[in-house]
């Protein structure tokens, strides 16, 4: 009898202790969620600018009911579009507290943890068509195991979609999954995922179709505080269909991002590659391109974008698509923000962009180095300010005659021999005009241009020229 009472007492103590630990981990999970959402809001503010066409982006906790063993929560992401319409996405979350959440054990997570979350996207005006196409089921389910020490695993499961909106637009989606592993107190993550098909048709009948989409991403924070990002997105086929126009098909598309950020300074590059470009069934070759940046002050850039965003909201009378009309004070504030951004002397490189077909290639690259402007130029004319902040500008371009000829033939409706003769004539005409103007050099069937600006000096194809002479040559060669 004593043994039975002892076991009963021991069981009561265990249950009480587990309840206490579960309540504690539930409280810790809530704190973690609030912290991560605050950081997410900060990242969204940095990522979204006025060109995105959305305002007042916010991620928030709508409700949080914490119990001893479980908690129920609602999260919302919403923004206001330019036409004033509010877009809202709401997730409901069933959060089981640790240290051993039952759902986590069922998913194979045997280690103790803070919580196991199963969040589901709910029906709102923004998701109504998707939810209705699934007979009321949630289109997105997110299962996340939150471990101790800032580790975790999150599985994002997207359901299929096939629905039309009232305006005639349509979405066909295969569904798919993205898996994310967190570490280093949620400061680092590795993600991978894929989708078989995504096809979107707009109100005008234009269609974009993507097949076999895959993504890989690694985001790591080092002990020194330096963050590195390495991401790759691949799409086997992209189809662009416009009514009454030739179809464009891109095969073997890849976008890769490599970036490093230390404190507020970002250095990185984005690379693009397309194995095959087709226009109306005609093969146009392959394209590779790259955009690089060095010493970008992301804090200053974010402030500048937000300042411009606020001015755009204030100027409600401006026609859509046009920049806001700025008064002198607004223009000065934007320039002050631009000066702060240029304080670290950033550099940008557009290229090389290389287009290759069966007969040759064309290549172009533009490099720009900026310098910190003198504060005395805060009220200077725009042309004077531009020359003052531009430390160096360099353009290097070339196009091979066989490349141009083959491209012309593929795009022409004429038979091949006639199109070939027309292509050679057009190329020789413009190559001769640019050469006579001194804007380019034509040799070995290749038209080349090498131009640079530095310290108020223009060097054109190895020759020093003044600004007035350069403009005269440009007018003669182009017009």
């Amino acid at each position: 009898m004593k043994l039975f009472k002892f076991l009963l007492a021991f069981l009561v103590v265990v249950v009480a202790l587990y309840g206490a630990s579960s309540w504690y981990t539930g409280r810790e999970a809530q704190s973690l969620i609030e912290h991560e959402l605050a950081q997410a809001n900060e990242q969204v503010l940095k990522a979204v600018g006025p060109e995105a066409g959305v305002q007042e982006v916010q991620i928030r906790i709508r409700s949080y009911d914490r119990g001893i063993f479980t908690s129920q929560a609602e999260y919302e992401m919403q923004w206001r579009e330019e036409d004033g319409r509010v877009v809202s996405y709401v997730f409901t979350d069933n959060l089981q507290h640790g240290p051993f959440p039952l759902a986590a054990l069922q998913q194979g997570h045997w280690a103790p943890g803070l919580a196991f979350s199963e969040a589901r996207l709910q029906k709102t005006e923004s998701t109504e068509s998707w939810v209705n196409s699934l007979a009321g089921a949630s289109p997105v389910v997110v299962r996340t195991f939150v471990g101790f020490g800032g580790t975790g695993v999150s599985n994002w499961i997207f359901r299929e979609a096939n629905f039309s909106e009232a305006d005639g637009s349509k979405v066909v989606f295969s569904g798919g999954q993205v898996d994310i592993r967190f570490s280093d107190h949620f400061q680092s993550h590795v993600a991978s995922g894929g989708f078989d098909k995504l096809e979107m048709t707009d109100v005008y009948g234009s269609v974009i179709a993507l097949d076999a989409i895959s993504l890989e991403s690694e985001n790591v924070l080092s002990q020194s505080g330096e963050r590195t990002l390495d991401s790759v997105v691949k799409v086997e086929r992209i189809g662009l269909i416009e009514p009454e126009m030739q179809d464009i098909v891109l095969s073997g598309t890849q976008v890769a991002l490599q970036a490093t950020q230390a404190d507020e300074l970002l250095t990185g590059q984005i690379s693009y590659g397309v194995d095959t470009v087709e226009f109306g069934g005609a093969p146009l070759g392959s394209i590779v391109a790259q955009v690089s940046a060095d010493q970008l002050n992301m804090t200053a850039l974010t402030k500048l974008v937000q300042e411009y965003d606020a001015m755009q909201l204030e100027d409600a009378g401006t026609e859509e698509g046009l920049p806001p009309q700025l008064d002198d004070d607004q223009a000065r504030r934007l320039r002050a923000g631009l000066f702060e951004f240029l304080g670290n002397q950033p550099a940008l490189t557009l290229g090389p962009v290389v287009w290759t077909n069966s007969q040759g290639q064309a290549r172009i690259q533009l490099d720009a180095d900026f310098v910190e402007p003198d504060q005395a130029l805060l009220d200077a004319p725009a042309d004077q300010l531009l020359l003052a902040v531009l430390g160096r500008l360099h353009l290097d371009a070339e196009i091979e005659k066989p490349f141009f000829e083959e491209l012309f033939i593929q795009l022409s409706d004429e038979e091949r021999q006639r199109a070939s003769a027309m292509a050679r004539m057009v190329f020789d005409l413009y190559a001769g005009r640019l050469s006579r103007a001194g804007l380019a050099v034509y040799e070995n069937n290749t038209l080349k241009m090498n131009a640079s600006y530095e310290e108020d000096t223009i060097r054109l194809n190895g020759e020093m020229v003044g600004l007035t002479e350069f403009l005269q040559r440009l007018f003669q060669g182009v017009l």
Side-chain angles (χ1 to χ4, degrees):
M1 193 65 169
K2 290 182 179 180
L3 178 60
F4 174 76
K5 291 182 178 179
F6 171 78
L7 292 175
L8 181 61
F10 179 76
L11 181 60
V12 170
V13 170
V14 168
V15 171
L17 288 175
Y18 185 84
S21 65
S22 187
W23 174 85
Y24 173 77
T25 54
R27 187 184 66 178
E28 291 297 299
Q30 181 178 357
S31 299
L32 176 63
I33 290 170
E34 292 171 347
H35 177 264
E36 292 301 316
L37 286 183
Q39 284 198 329
N41 274 312
E42 183 179 340
Q43 294 300 318
V44 167
L45 287 175
K46 289 182 179 180
V48 177
E51 68 282 353
V54 298
Q55 317 289 346
E56 303 174 21
V57 183
Q58 185 183 35
I59 306 172
R60 67 187 183 97
I61 300 176
R62 290 192 4 171
S63 64
Y64 199 106
D65 183 13
R66 188 177 76 233
I68 296 177
F69 299 105
T70 62
S71 294
Q72 304 297 321
E74 273 194 0
Y75 319 120
E76 179 182 35
M77 180 176 183
Q78 68 173 23
W79 63 81
R80 186 181 302 277
E81 299 204 341
E82 289 180 325
D83 59 4
R85 184 171 60 92
V86 175
V87 177
S88 174
Y89 293 92
V90 175
F91 280 88
T92 58
D93 190 2
N94 177 27
L95 197 70
Q96 296 186 15
H97 305 164
F100 294 102
L102 178 59
L105 297 175
Q106 293 171 340
Q107 294 289 323
H109 300 288
W110 297 97
L114 275 176
F116 184 87
S117 160
E118 183 168 286
R120 295 178 178 270
L121 183 63
Q122 297 302 301
K123 183 176 180 178
T124 63
E125 184 178 351
S126 305
T127 62
E128 183 177 10
S129 297
W130 195 358
V131 173
N132 288 345
S133 72
L134 297 171
S138 175
V140 181
V141 178
V142 185
R143 297 188 176 99
T144 304
F145 173 72
V146 183
F148 292 103
T151 61
V153 178
S154 189
N155 308 115
W156 290 64
I157 303 166
F158 299 85
R159 294 285 304 276
E160 69 281 359
N162 190 341
F163 61 85
S164 299
E165 299 285 6
D167 60 6
S169 59
K170 186 177 180 180
V171 175
V172 178
F173 177 48
S174 65
Q177 183 165 330
V178 176
D179 300 318
I180 308 171
R181 289 188 173 274
F182 300 96
S183 59
D184 302 328
H185 299 282
F186 297 97
Q187 295 298 309
S188 302
H189 74 256
V190 176
S192 63
F195 311 93
D196 289 336
K197 182 182 181 64
L198 173 61
E199 182 177 302
M200 296 174 289
T201 306
D202 67 13
V203 295
Y204 305 105
S206 300
V207 180
I208 178 170
L210 296 87
D211 296 326
I213 309 159
S214 66
L215 61 92
E216 303 281 343
S217 177
E218 184 175 18
N219 190 323
V220 178
L221 183 67
S222 69
Q223 292 183 349
S224 63
E226 182 178 84
R227 180 172 294 281
T228 58
L229 175 63
D230 192 347
S231 299
V232 177
V233 177
K234 298 179 181 180
V235 185
E236 186 174 298
R237 183 183 183 276
I238 301 175
L240 305 173
I241 303 171
E242 290 283 347
E244 301 180 3
M245 289 184 64
Q246 300 281 6
D247 296 348
I248 299 174
V249 177
L250 311 178
S251 300
T253 301
Q254 176 174 302
V255 181
L257 169 64
Q258 295 88 32
T260 301
Q261 183 169 353
D263 295 326
E264 57 191 19
L265 299 181
L266 176 72
T267 296
Q269 67 180 34
I270 303 177
S271 303
Y272 304 88
V274 182
D275 291 341
T276 306
V277 180
E278 295 182 17
F279 182 77
L284 303 185
S286 63
I287 298 176
V288 294
Q290 183 173 294
V291 179
S292 305
D294 186 36
Q295 295 291 99
L296 294 187
N297 187 327
M298 298 308 294
T299 300
L301 181 60
T302 300
K303 288 170 56 179
L304 181 62
V305 169
Q306 290 176 350
E307 185 83 12
Y308 180 87
D309 198 358
M311 293 176 185
Q312 193 175 47
L313 283 175
E314 293 171 5
D315 189 19
T318 301
E319 185 179 344
E320 184 177 351
L322 296 177
Q325 298 294 319
L326 306 178
D327 58 34
D328 291 342
D329 178 63
Q330 289 175 321
R332 204 170 194 277
R333 279 157 44 200
L334 280 183
R335 285 195 175 190
L338 177 64
F339 280 26
E340 182 182 356
F341 171 68
L342 296 175
N344 294 98
Q345 302 186 30
L348 296 174
T349 299
L350 305 179
V353 178
V354 182
W355 190 344
T356 305
N357 63 21
S358 61
Q359 301 301 315
Q361 70 174 27
R363 181 183 184 279
I364 187 171
Q365 179 168 324
L366 180 65
D367 299 273
D369 297 337
F370 298 92
V371 297
E372 183 178 6
D374 192 321
Q375 291 296 320
L377 296 171
L378 198 59
D379 298 310
D383 55 348
Q384 182 182 349
L385 177 61
L386 176 61
L387 294 177
V389 302
L390 197 56
R392 184 182 74 94
L393 185 66
H394 181 79
L395 173 66
D396 188 16
E398 64 178 51
I399 179 171
E400 298 175 359
K401 185 176 180 179
F403 165 85
F404 179 82
E405 182 179 346
E406 179 64 20
L407 182 64
F408 191 98
I409 291 171
Q410 294 296 338
L411 293 175
S412 175
D413 292 330
E414 302 287 345
E415 56 91 17
R416 186 176 182 88
Q417 186 174 358
R418 178 175 172 80
S420 176
M422 293 175 62
R424 291 195 300 270
M425 181 183 67
V426 171
F427 188 90
D428 290 342
L429 174 66
Y430 282 96
R433 178 183 293 182
L434 293 173
S435 298
R436 288 190 297 272
L439 287 175
V441 176
Y442 185 34
E443 57 184 11
N444 298 326
N445 272 341
T446 303
L447 187 65
K448 300 179 180 180
M449 180 180 182
N450 189 293
S452 62
Y453 170 84
E454 189 171 5
E455 296 181 349
D456 298 325
T457 301
I458 298 175
R459 184 179 294 274
L460 184 59
N461 302 314
E463 179 186 0
M464 302 284 289
V465 298
L467 179 59
T468 301
E469 182 181 355
F470 174 76
L471 293 176
Q472 288 174 345
R473 293 188 182 190
L474 189 63
F475 183 82
Q476 178 186 352
V478 176
L479 301 179

